[in-house]
Amino acid sequence: MYKNERSEFFYIDVTYVKYLCIGRPYTRHWIPAFAGMTSGVRGIIGIIMATNATDNLNIVKHKRFDKFMFWLLRIKPLPIHSRKLERAGVKVVLKLYAKSLSEFSGIISFSIFMAILASLANVTVPYIFKQFLDILGSGQSPTQITSLHNTIWLFFGVAFLGWAGWRVCYMINSYFSSRVLALLRQRAFSYLLGHSHEFFANTFAGALVQKVNRFAQSYDALADRILYDIIPIIVQVSFILYILTKERPALALVILIWLFVFIIWNYSFATWKLKYDASRAAQDSLSSGSLADSISNNQTIELYKSQKIEEKIYSDVTNLQALYTRFSWQSASVIDGIQALLIVLVEVAVLYVGVDLWSKGLMSIGLFVLVQTYVLQLAERLWSFSRVVRDLYEAFANAKEMAEIMTLPHSIQEKKNAKVLKNAEGEVTFHDTTFSFNGKNVINHINLTIKKGEKVALVGVSGAGKSTLIKLLFRQYDPDSGMICIDGQNIKDITLESLRNALSLVPQDPALFHRSLLENIRYGKQDATDEEARASAILAHCDDFISELPLGYETLVGERGVKLSGGERQRVAIARAFLRNSPILVLDEATSSLDSHSEEKVQDSLMKLMENKTTIVIAHRLSTIRRVDRILVLKDGAIVEDGTHDELLENKEGLYAKLWDIQQGGFLKDEEDEEIENEK
Ligand SMILES: Nc1ncnc2c1ncn2[C@@H]1O[C@H](COP(=O)(O)OP(=O)(O)OP(=O)(O)O)[C@@H](O)[C@H]1O
Ligand SMILES: [Mg+2]
C-alpha cells in the first residue's frame, strides 16, 4: 500500500510538473532541479505548484473519514485541495453585489415576495386536499357536495396562485438578472482595466478572463439558489411544522427530528465534499490546460513527430482527472443512498405514529394523506440540499477571487484635483528618480533633462533599466523617490489621460487587437478619419503590405496580431504613432524586427515622425542612433555616460566605446570571414 501511494505521488508529481510548469517563468529552473529530488519532495512541490496554478488552492491532510471513503470506494488516496472561504470574503462579495444591485432593489424585493407567495401556495395545496378528503369521508349530503365544490374552487385558486407566482418570479428574474450579469461584467472589467502594468505583469490573462466571467456567473448561481431553493425550503418547512403542530404535535415532532438529522447529515457531508469538488475542478482545469498547450504547440509536435509522447502526457492527466471524477460521483451517490434511506425511515415512522393516532381515533384519512404528501414534498425539496450548499459555497468562493481584485486599490491613481496637461511642449525632466522591483534597485538616482525637440538615445546592456525608465515616464509605475516632470509639471499632478496623450510609444514587440487593421491604426487617435489613418499607414510604410491583402484595411489581424509578421506589426505601431502626433515620442527598439531594406525605408519615415518632437530612442544596434543629439549610457539603472556619438567614442575606456567596438568588430569580422570563405 505504502509503495502504491508513493507511486501515486510520483505519478501526480510528474503530471503536475510537466503541465503546470508549461508557460511559467520558473519552468526552466524547476525542471533540472526536479531531476535531483526524491520523488516525495517532487510530489509535494508539484502539488504546491498545482496549488499556485489553480486559484490558490490549499493542500489538505487526509482525515480518518477521508481515508475511510477512499477505502470504501476502492481508490488510492488522492491529494486533496481546499479553497478557504472566510466570513470576510463572503461579506466583500455581498457588498459588491449589493452595490451593483441597488438600482434593482424594488424589482428584487418583488420577485422575493412572489417566490414566498408561490411557495406558500405550493405547500397549502395538500392541506386543501386534506379538507377535501375529510369532507368526502363524512357523508353525501347536499351541504357536503357544496363544500366539496367550494374546496375544488379553493384548490384551483391556490394552485393558480402558485403557478402564477412562479411564472412571474421567473419572468422578472430572467429580465433583470440578464441585465445584472452584464452590469457586473462591465463593472469588473472597468475596475480591472484601471489596474497597473505591474498587476497585469503578475497575473495570467486567462485566469483574469475566467475571474471576470465567474464573478458574474456566481451572482446568477447565488440568486437562483436563494430564490428557487432556500426561500421555498424555509417557507415550506415552517408552514409544514406549523400545520402539523396545530393538527398533531406528535407527528410534527417526528418530522422535526427527521429534519434535524437530515439537514445535519447533508450539510456535513456537503461541506466535507467541497474539497473534493475543488480538487476535481483543479484537475479539470489542468486537463484543459494540457489540451490547450498541446494544441497551441501543434506545429512543434508535428515537426518533432512527438504525437505519441503528447498522447501519453494527455492520457496521464485525463486518467488522473477520471479518478477525481469517479471519487466525486461515487461519494455523491453515498450521500444520495443515505438520504434515500432516511426518507424511507421517516415514512415508516410517520405511518407508525399515524396508525397509533388512528387507533385512538385521532387521525383521519385526510390527515394521513396530508402527512405523507408533506413528507414527500419535504424529501423532494431537501433532496438537492447538498447541491445547494455546494453551489452556494462555490459561488462565493468563485466570486471572492474577483472581489479581491475589485477591492484592491489601483496602484496608479490620479489625484482628485489633477490638472490637464494642455499643449505640451515636450520637455522631460527626471529629478533624482529611484525605483526598485521587489527590493532590487532598477533605477538609481537618475537626474536628466531632455529639452523640447531634443533627440536622445538610451543605450545599455540588456536589463540595464531602459524600458523601466520609459515605464516610469508613462507612469506605469510610480518612482520610489524623486519625481518626473513634463514641461515642469510633476506627472503625478496631471490627469493620466492628458499625460498619455502627450506621449506615444512604439514598443519592442507590439501586440495588436483582433480587429481590422484600420481600427488598429486608429487606436493612435480614436477620432481620426479613415483618410488620416491611411495617410499615417503610408508614412509608416504599412500601405505596401496592407494593399496586398485581399481585404486590405479591413483584414482582421488575429489574436495579438499573429497573422502579421513582427516587422508588419511594428509598422502598424509606427503608423499609430504618426496618427497620434504627440509632442514626446519613445521608440523602444522600434525597428528591431525589420529587415535592412524595410528598416531603411522606415528609418526614413521615423526621421519624419521625429521632426519637432522630443524623442527618446532605445536601440541595441548603435549604428542606428549615431545621428541623435545625445546618447545616454545606462548601467545598472544609472546614467554613466552622456554625450554625442563622437564625444562618447573619445572615452576609450567608456562603456559606449566598448559596445561600439564589439558591434563594429563583430560586423567587420563577419565580413572578413566571408572574404576568406570566398577566397577558398
Ligand atoms: N515586472 C517586473 N518585476 C520584477 N523585475 C522586473 C520587472 N520588469 C523588469 N524587471 C527587471 O528590471 C531590470 C531592468 O529591466 P528593463 O526591462 O528595464 O531592462 P532593459 O534595459 O529594457 O533590457 P532590454 O534591453 O533587454 O529590453 C531587469 O533586471 C529586469 O529583470
Ligand atoms: Mg527593454
Side-chain angles (χ1 to χ4, degrees):
M1 181 69 189
Y2 175 69
K3 209 163 178 272
N4 279 343
E5 262 179 43
R6 273 179 71 93
S7 65
E8 188 71 52
F9 250 97
F10 182 70
Y11 173 36
I12 288 157
D13 82 46
V14 171
T15 324
Y16 281 158
V17 172
K18 279 192 185 154
Y19 305 107
L20 293 171
C21 293
I22 292 166
R24 277 164 227 295
Y26 38 69
T27 314
R28 273 175 301 146
H29 314 296
W30 278 105
I31 298 263
F34 265 103
M37 290 179 193
T38 65
S39 65
V41 175
R42 276 187 301 210
I44 289 159
I45 293 177
I47 289 157
I48 294 169
M49 286 166 64
T51 305
N52 246 342
T54 43
D55 299 306
N56 298 322
L57 294 171
N58 305 306
I59 193 88
V60 196
K61 260 175 118 179
H62 291 122
K63 297 214 173 102
R64 211 173 280 169
F65 188 65
D66 298 298
K67 288 182 186 156
F68 168 73
M69 286 301 287
F70 280 117
W71 171 83
L72 184 73
L73 302 175
R74 319 306 299 157
I75 295 178
K76 283 175 215 152
L78 298 164
I80 44 175
H81 315 87
S82 81
R83 276 204 290 183
K84 283 220 172 89
L85 182 63
E86 315 81 30
R87 227 172 251 165
V90 173
K91 248 185 172 168
V92 171
V93 172
L94 288 178
K95 238 179 163 175
L96 279 174
Y97 282 157
K99 229 175 167 182
S100 302
L101 289 173
S102 54
E103 57 190 275
F104 299 99
S105 58
I107 201 161
I108 291 177
S109 314
F110 184 63
S111 76
I112 292 178
F113 172 74
M114 288 317 276
I116 295 176
L117 202 70
S119 305
L120 261 179
N122 291 155
V123 82
T124 313
V125 166
Y127 191 68
I128 298 171
F129 263 125
K130 175 209 172 267
Q131 310 285 48
F132 189 84
L133 287 175
D134 282 348
I135 301 170
L136 210 60
S138 64
Q140 284 180 337
S141 68
T143 42
Q144 276 151 337
I145 292 175
T146 320
S147 309
L148 282 175
H149 282 155
N150 289 343
T151 317
I152 291 173
W153 281 112
L154 185 64
F155 160 76
F156 175 73
V158 172
F160 180 80
L161 193 68
W163 173 83
W166 282 126
R167 285 309 100 202
V168 172
C169 189
Y170 287 135
M171 294 282 278
I172 299 176
N173 199 26
S174 49
Y175 167 73
F176 82 83
S177 274
S178 49
R179 285 178 56 201
V180 173
L181 285 182
L183 195 71
L184 288 172
R185 286 206 170 95
Q186 289 154 14
R187 295 231 163 128
F189 177 70
S190 104
Y191 195 85
L192 188 65
L193 286 191
H195 275 300
S196 66
H197 176 71
E198 166 104 72
F199 172 85
F200 288 101
N202 289 323
T203 328
F204 290 112
L208 285 177
V209 169
Q210 204 178 28
K211 281 177 190 173
V212 171
N213 282 330
R214 279 178 174 180
F215 181 65
Q217 282 155 3
S218 294
Y219 160 77
D220 198 31
L222 277 177
D224 279 2
R225 292 285 79 84
I226 291 173
L227 212 55
Y228 303 133
D229 290 295
I230 307 278
I231 290 178
I233 287 178
I234 294 173
V235 170
Q236 293 190 350
V237 165
S238 325
F239 188 82
I240 289 171
L241 287 176
Y242 167 74
I243 292 284
L244 290 183
T245 313
K246 231 179 71 185
E247 293 279 344
R248 295 292 172 270
L251 284 171
L253 189 67
V254 171
I255 291 190
L256 190 67
I257 293 171
W258 173 76
L259 271 175
F260 188 72
V261 174
F262 192 95
I263 288 180
I264 296 272
W265 156 256
N266 247 293
Y267 184 78
S268 337
F269 208 111
T271 44
W272 168 81
K273 197 171 162 285
L274 286 172
K275 51 184 184 285
Y276 291 98
D277 294 327
S279 309
R280 186 185 148 199
Q283 202 55 41
D284 286 350
S285 35
L286 280 185
S287 160
S288 326
S290 152
L291 184 65
D293 189 55
S294 294
I295 290 176
S296 54
N297 276 302
N298 65 76
Q299 211 188 352
T300 316
I301 298 172
E302 193 182 4
L303 293 177
Y304 284 83
K305 202 79 191 83
S306 53
Q307 194 176 340
K308 287 254 153 30
I309 301 171
E310 294 303 317
E311 278 170 6
K312 164 85 176 69
I313 289 171
Y314 188 58
S315 68
D316 281 353
V317 191
T318 41
N319 285 338
L320 191 58
Q321 181 189 18
L323 281 180
Y324 277 99
T325 311
R326 192 180 123 203
F327 186 82
S328 178
W329 283 351
Q330 289 190 331
S331 54
S333 78
V334 171
I335 300 191
D336 288 353
I338 293 179
Q339 262 185 193
L341 198 66
L342 281 174
I343 291 168
V344 172
L345 285 179
V346 74
E347 278 181 349
V348 171
V350 162
L351 283 173
Y352 204 85
V353 175
V355 168
D356 190 42
L357 289 171
W358 173 76
S359 67
K360 290 175 189 155
L362 293 172
M363 189 91 171
S364 65
I365 302 286
L367 195 54
F368 238 114
V369 172
L370 176 72
V371 176
Q372 279 303 317
T373 316
Y374 276 167
V375 167
L376 288 178
Q377 217 176 50
L378 281 178
E380 193 190 317
R381 266 275 154 239
L382 293 173
W383 183 262
S384 52
F385 185 72
S386 58
R387 205 196 69 228
V388 174
V389 172
R390 188 197 64 199
D391 285 0
L392 285 179
Y393 199 99
E394 223 166 59
F396 273 118
N398 285 341
K400 193 189 100 187
E401 287 159 8
M402 189 65 215
E404 273 166 2
I405 294 176
M406 290 174 76
T407 44
L408 181 76
H410 290 147
S411 61
I412 303 291
Q413 286 192 13
E414 206 171 80
K415 279 192 179 162
K416 276 213 178 83
N417 50 357
K419 286 182 247 149
V420 175
L421 179 71
K422 276 191 200 142
N423 305 326
E425 302 259 312
E427 188 192 66
V428 175
T429 329
F430 286 79
H431 294 279
D432 199 20
T433 306
T434 301
F435 177 71
S436 58
F437 278 119
N438 315 320
K440 178 186 157 202
N441 240 346
V442 179
I443 297 296
N444 266 321
H445 300 284
I446 297 256
N447 278 300
L448 168 68
T449 303
I450 304 173
K451 289 195 281 291
K452 173 193 163 197
E454 200 175 11
K455 319 279 175 264
V456 165
L458 265 183
V459 302
V461 293
S462 182
K466 305 179 292 289
S467 299
T468 309
L469 197 67
I470 299 306
K471 283 183 182 136
L472 288 172
L473 174 63
F474 276 77
R475 217 180 152 212
Q476 286 181 297
Y477 298 107
D478 278 333
D480 298 341
S481 66
M483 67 174 178
I484 302 164
C485 299
I486 291 180
D487 299 342
Q489 287 200 55
N490 189 341
I491 56 172
K492 276 188 167 180
D493 297 335
I494 55 182
T495 62
L496 282 168
E497 193 181 343
S498 66
L499 168 69
R500 306 270 161 82
N501 274 339
L503 298 158
S504 68
L505 171 75
V506 181
Q508 224 161 349
D509 183 21
L512 304 182
F513 289 99
H514 180 46
R515 298 176 192 165
S516 74
L517 275 161
L518 193 65
E519 281 172 283
N520 267 297
I521 294 172
R522 214 202 308 268
Y523 220 78
K525 187 177 162 209
Q526 301 287 357
D527 53 0
T529 61
D530 287 4
E531 285 64 40
E532 283 177 304
R534 276 167 214 255
S536 318
I538 293 169
L539 285 172
H541 293 278
C542 284
D543 199 53
D544 326 345
F545 81 85
I546 296 177
S547 50
E548 278 172 22
L549 297 167
L551 294 178
Y553 281 86
E554 293 309 316
T555 312
L556 294 178
V557 298
E559 207 178 332
R560 298 178 66 81
V562 287
K563 289 188 187 170
L564 300 185
S565 75
E568 287 164 350
R569 274 204 301 274
Q570 233 165 16
R571 278 183 271 170
V572 172
I574 294 171
R576 272 183 189 168
F578 266 110
L579 198 57
R580 195 165 188 79
N581 197 25
S582 54
I584 302 166
L585 172 71
V586 180
L587 308 171
D588 189 349
E589 289 280 322
T591 55
S592 59
S593 307
L594 301 180
D595 60 89
S596 330
H597 177 67
S598 326
E599 186 177 4
E600 200 178 304
K601 279 192 187 167
V602 174
Q603 276 295 354
D604 172 55
S605 51
L606 280 179
M607 292 309 285
K608 241 184 267 160
L609 176 63
M610 283 155 65
E611 268 169 30
N612 306 322
K613 288 191 174 68
T614 309
T615 312
I616 305 173
V617 188
I618 297 178
H620 280 293
R621 266 180 299 164
L622 304 183
S623 55
T624 57
I625 48 153
R626 280 168 65 177
R627 281 176 286 175
V628 297
D629 301 327
R630 239 164 105 198
I631 296 169
L632 305 166
V633 184
L634 213 61
K635 188 182 173 202
D636 299 331
I639 296 175
V640 289
E641 283 165 59
D642 180 351
T644 62
H645 172 75
D646 294 332
E647 282 167 7
L648 294 185
L649 276 190
E650 274 168 27
N651 179 8
K652 290 272 180 279
E653 290 308 303
L655 184 57
Y656 184 79
K658 280 184 189 157
L659 289 173
W660 178 258
D661 269 354
I662 294 169
Q663 291 194 2
Q664 292 307 100
F667 182 66
L668 289 175
K669 213 179 252 164
D670 283 350
E671 269 192 351
E672 273 169 18
D673 285 349
E674 232 169 68
E675 272 172 26
I676 294 166
E677 293 265 293
N678 288 343
E679 278 169 20
K680 277 181 188 169

